[in-house]
Amino acid sequence: MNIPVQKSSLKELSTRAHTHAKNRSRPSVKNEIWRNVRLSDLEKEFVSSQAHTQAQTATAVSAPESLPYGNDNCIVINNGQSDHALLNTLSEAEAWHEQLVENDDLSSQWLLTQTPQHYSIDINSDQQLCIYNYADAHNGHSACTISLRIARNVRCDIILIHNVHSGARSSIAIHCDAAADSVTRIDECESSHDSLQQGQILRHASMSLAGNAQLTWTQCQISSDLNRSSYYVDLNGPHAHVDLSSATICNGDHQAHQYIRVNHAQADTSSKQTFKCIATDNARFSFDGLIHIAEGADGSSAEQINANLQLSDTCRVHSRPQLDIDTDDVIATHGSASGQISEEEILYLRSRGISEKNARTLITKGFLLEVIHNFHSDYARELSSTLLNTNVL
Amino acid sequence: MLTIENLHVQVEDTPILKGLSLQVNAGEVHAIMGPNGAGKSTLTKSIAGHSSYDISKGSISFKDQCIDDWDIEDRCNKGIFIGFQYPTEVPGVNNAEFLLMAYNAKRQSQDLPELSSEEFAPILNEKMAAIQMDKKFSDRDLNAGFSGGQKKRNEILQMCILEPQLAILDETDSGLDIDALRIVAAGINNFRSDEHAIVLITHYQRLLDLVKPDFVHVLLDGKIVKSGGPELALKLEEKGYDWLT
């Protein structure tokens, strides 16, 4: 999917942002090396790192924790591959790439490597599925793709759980093709089984929804040191609806970046985006969300909100909500709000006897609960609530 | 119960209260009336301990203890309740969870064990029923999306749950329809006792028809310029405030 964006305006925006940062004696986001890595370099790095670890076997993992929906409905991704022999057959694997927009930090799309492991899943009847993504530091950068084809009139509930150890990097690409009248709910969360600190998780999700297909994707990312998500959604049939929401806590030197493109290709389609982040310490968070309503997509409605709570003076948040509307008869709203906890809210809670510390915790947790409550599964909701309670500042 | 002596309060170097004195004893209901900008809400927030309000002179004492250095939460836990004119909305914070936390904060200050949500539920349900507040409001976020009247009723609910000794209610009657006013007034009258003191800040007689004050004070330009019994409120209703200047 290619949504045209004026490169000249992006360049100007980028230059202004860098000048702004420089005038405040703050390091420019250009210094984030990861955002400027080229595809070919990344591929070389991946292949090279795998070659060095050929002597090691992948850490055995067989659903070590109690997972929802039972073992029969669970796919365990073990370091992105299950067999080191696959390393020599990259050309046979299904590959996917995203082009990096050079030197434009505010709209960069990052690169994901070729994938040695591919899962293709056809869901032809109502089903619940758990996808357990495990990666540990012994195996460097692991990657996999999952293609989901959801048949007409089918209801599918998916829980995607990441257990990516500190020091490991996991790239996961999910392609979802939802047929007409299907209902898909995806809950994405982080495991706390082995460690409270997750490694780097890169996810790319592309979704194509036919007429009257409904897709809800709710994500909670709390403890990983680098989180990057890109969502590409094509609403290709009337009354198709997508609901994307994410709750992020970013602390220490962690980074989290969200990149969303929703394309209303047909009339009477609808979308909703709710992206919330709590940033503190020296964390960096970015939100780059574009809603495109194509010519002829009359009667469509789109709603986008990005709200960010900044709990330190040194954290950085970039928010870039965008609307690109090529027709008249639509309802499209977008909004972005970034700031600190309201002093009036704290005062009100304190006036009822609640200490300042507890008041801040209550408000901070409440900020993300709107998204947590969006999970369809009790499992994801309880797991994320537990991590939230542990990590909220 | 409450003693205010020669209180001077300024906000960002602008004097608002200019020598206010007031004595409220247990068992009494005092009404404070006055035109807009007289300093009524400043008085309320000064008693609450709002940091923007700077006491430049005078003092506020509660049960013979000066409260000037008390933290905001300590004032509540020691028995002072403020019903705000514009209750703050706190999205994301569940109303029932907030009430439980406030209730337990008070119990903790009294060295009593905290209650669980299951133990607190019947207390909450009883108090809500007493002021005819729909149970669904316990599941809502604190004041978020509430109408003005619903927010005021939620303030009274908090007062009933926290059971303070002194309640200062700032324009509790504003935004209430006739039926809601009767219910709120009933809640205030239920709270009224020989151990409790109430200060009602209001513009209108209609609340005072339902909650009979023992004393009425007129606050004008940062000071109490006249005090009297309930008949003073009737005179203000008839003549306004001009005759006092």
Side-chain angles (χ1 to χ4, degrees):
Chain A
M1 181 175 69
N2 183 23
I3 297 173
V5 178
Q6 292 295 328
K7 278 207 174 197
S8 58
S9 61
L10 289 177
K11 196 73 180 167
E12 183 197 335
L13 193 63
S14 175
T15 304
R16 279 165 53 196
H18 292 315
T19 305
H20 178 84
K22 190 179 169 186
N23 289 343
R24 278 152 182 77
S25 301
R26 286 180 183 162
S28 164
V29 293
K30 279 186 177 232
N31 295 335
E32 295 172 34
I33 297 171
W34 171 247
R35 297 186 73 138
N36 289 321
V37 172
R38 291 177 180 275
L39 170 63
S40 55
D41 291 344
L42 191 58
E43 279 185 11
K44 285 178 196 169
E45 181 195 334
F46 173 70
V47 173
S48 169
S49 70
Q50 295 308 303
H52 285 305
T53 58
Q54 272 186 0
Q56 299 178 23
T57 56
T59 306
V61 58
S62 54
E65 52 190 287
S66 172
L67 296 174
Y69 306 151
N71 288 338
D72 290 341
N73 291 312
C74 179
I75 294 173
V76 177
I77 301 167
N78 179 9
N79 288 291
Q81 57 196 30
S82 58
D83 185 353
H84 275 268
L86 286 172
L87 284 172
N88 296 322
T89 59
L90 284 174
S91 60
E92 296 175 10
E94 188 169 324
W96 51 272
H97 305 282
E98 291 295 331
Q99 186 175 4
L100 178 71
V101 176
E102 196 172 280
N103 294 326
D104 187 334
D105 305 286
L106 296 181
S107 67
S108 294
Q109 301 174 48
W110 53 94
L111 304 175
L112 296 159
T113 187
Q114 288 185 327
T115 58
Q117 184 64 44
H118 175 70
Y119 296 89
S120 183
I121 306 169
D122 289 316
I123 300 178
N124 296 317
S125 60
D126 293 357
Q127 186 170 349
Q128 293 174 318
L129 178 66
C130 172
I131 303 172
Y132 186 78
N133 178 31
Y134 174 89
D136 59 47
H138 295 298
N139 293 280
H141 183 177
S142 66
C144 75
T145 62
I146 300 173
S147 291
L148 292 166
R149 281 178 290 276
I150 298 155
R152 191 179 184 123
N153 283 321
V154 163
R155 286 189 72 94
C156 177
D157 289 339
I158 298 171
I159 300 180
L160 170 58
I161 304 170
H162 298 288
N163 186 355
V164 177
H165 289 195
S166 182
R169 182 187 296 162
S170 168
S171 299
I172 182 167
I174 298 178
H175 306 282
C176 180
D177 197 347
D181 301 306
S182 62
V183 177
T184 307
R185 301 187 298 183
I186 301 175
D187 289 350
E188 182 183 3
C189 53
E190 294 171 359
S191 166
S192 62
H193 180 76
D194 292 330
S195 164
L196 287 178
Q197 184 62 52
Q198 297 266 334
Q200 299 181 352
I201 304 174
L202 316 177
R203 59 181 75 59
H204 169 87
S206 62
M207 297 162 250
S208 175
L209 276 64
N212 207 35
Q214 317 284 311
L215 191 146
T216 304
W217 190 315
T218 308
Q219 175 197 73
C220 182
Q221 46 191 27
I222 289 179
S223 56
S224 48
D225 58 28
L226 172 65
N227 242 304
R228 303 194 69 159
S229 302
S230 67
Y231 300 91
Y232 288 84
V233 183
D234 281 310
L235 300 171
N236 288 327
H239 305 293
H241 173 77
V242 67
D243 185 337
L244 305 174
S245 56
S246 172
T248 302
I249 294 183
C250 217
N251 51 24
D253 291 314
H254 298 173
Q255 296 183 36
H257 304 285
Q258 302 277 9
Y259 187 86
I260 302 102
R261 294 296 183 262
V262 175
N263 180 32
H264 292 253
Q266 293 288 329
D268 298 317
T269 52
S270 56
S271 67
K272 183 177 177 189
Q273 300 174 36
T274 309
F275 284 79
K276 291 191 165 189
C277 173
I278 297 175
T280 188
D281 301 325
N282 298 311
R284 294 172 185 173
F285 172 78
S286 72
F287 170 84
D288 184 332
L290 172 69
I291 297 170
H292 175 244
I293 303 182
E295 190 176 343
D298 293 316
S300 293
S301 66
E303 183 187 327
Q304 179 193 76
I305 184 78
N306 169 227
N308 309 302
L309 207 51
Q310 293 176 263
L311 301 185
S312 73
D313 292 335
T314 47
C315 65
R316 292 212 300 280
V317 165
H318 294 277
S319 181
R320 195 172 170 203
Q322 301 149 77
L323 291 175
D324 186 13
I325 301 173
D326 290 331
T327 190
D328 293 329
D329 181 21
V330 299
I331 299 173
T333 64
H334 68 160
S336 170
S338 299
Q340 299 185 321
I341 297 177
S342 161
E343 286 301 321
E344 282 300 317
E345 290 180 14
I346 294 174
L347 281 169
Y348 186 76
L349 296 183
R350 290 180 70 195
S351 75
R352 300 311 183 232
I354 297 169
S355 69
E356 182 172 355
K357 178 175 179 288
N358 285 345
R360 288 185 180 276
T361 301
L362 201 59
I363 293 167
T364 305
K365 284 199 294 190
F367 179 73
L368 294 182
L369 278 178
E370 177 190 358
V371 175
I372 304 288
H373 287 155
N374 220 23
F375 281 125
H376 75 266
S377 66
D378 292 337
Y379 181 91
R381 197 178 309 115
E382 286 165 17
L383 179 58
S384 298
S385 295
T386 302
L387 286 175
L388 189 64
N389 287 333
T390 310
N391 283 274
V392 160
L393 309 161
Chain B
M1 179 81 69
L2 176 71
T3 305
I4 302 175
E5 287 179 331
N6 192 31
L7 188 68
H8 288 72
V9 174
Q10 56 192 34
V11 178
E12 294 176 357
D13 299 326
T14 302
I16 308 292
L17 298 182
K18 302 167 186 172
L20 188 147
S21 295
L22 180 68
Q23 176 77 35
V24 179
N25 298 316
E28 294 174 353
V29 176
H30 291 242
I32 297 180
M33 306 179 80
N36 294 334
K40 301 185 298 298
S41 290
T42 298
L43 173 64
T44 302
K45 289 185 179 175
S46 300
I47 297 171
H50 200 299
S51 55
S52 298
Y53 295 82
D54 177 35
I55 298 177
S56 56
K57 202 173 172 184
S59 66
I60 304 172
S61 298
F62 176 65
K63 295 197 289 185
D64 299 321
Q65 295 179 70
C66 181
I67 71 169
D68 294 357
D69 294 329
W70 289 9
D71 288 334
I72 298 173
E73 54 268 35
D74 291 337
R75 296 179 193 215
C76 174
N77 289 332
K78 288 182 179 172
I80 301 174
F81 178 85
I82 310 290
F84 292 103
Q85 183 179 3
Y86 302 111
T88 304
E89 295 187 12
V90 191
V93 174
N94 175 265
N95 200 20
E97 188 183 335
F98 151 74
L99 290 167
L100 173 60
M101 195 175 260
Y103 188 75
N104 278 335
K106 181 152 188 186
R107 285 179 68 88
Q108 198 176 31
S109 74
Q110 295 167 341
D111 294 322
L112 295 170
E114 293 184 2
L115 298 189
S116 66
S117 52
E118 290 77 23
E119 291 166 327
F120 180 66
I123 299 171
L124 177 59
N125 290 338
E126 181 201 333
K127 301 292 184 187
M128 291 185 86
I131 58 169
Q132 298 179 43
M133 194 168 178
D134 195 321
K135 276 188 192 175
K136 71 180 181 191
F137 285 97
S138 66
D139 294 329
R140 301 265 301 265
D141 288 350
L142 177 54
N143 293 331
F146 286 24
S147 69
Q150 289 162 351
K151 286 180 185 174
K152 295 297 175 66
R153 216 189 285 201
N154 204 32
E155 295 287 284
I156 299 300
L157 173 64
Q158 292 167 36
M159 181 186 78
C160 294
I161 284 173
L162 293 174
E163 294 177 338
Q165 288 159 292
L166 169 67
I168 299 173
L169 305 176
D170 190 355
E171 297 201 32
T172 289
D173 53 331
S174 69
L176 296 181
D177 60 38
I178 299 166
D179 293 327
L181 181 64
R182 286 207 183 101
I183 292 167
V184 164
I188 297 171
N189 282 327
N190 282 339
F191 175 75
R192 191 173 187 164
S193 76
D194 292 338
E195 287 80 39
H196 298 150
I198 301 172
V199 176
L200 298 173
I201 295 172
T202 184
H203 279 300
Y204 304 110
Q205 176 64 32
R206 62 178 198 151
L207 177 64
L208 303 182
D209 286 337
L210 299 169
V211 182
K212 306 288 186 194
D214 300 305
F215 302 96
V216 175
H217 311 277
V218 182
L219 181 54
L220 205 59
D221 196 24
K223 291 171 79 165
I224 290 180
V225 298
K226 191 153 184 73
S227 297
E231 68 285 348
L232 178 57
L234 293 168
K235 195 168 181 181
L236 291 170
E237 184 90 346
E238 186 192 330
K239 291 187 164 187
Y241 298 103
D242 288 343
W243 61 282
L244 291 164
T245 55

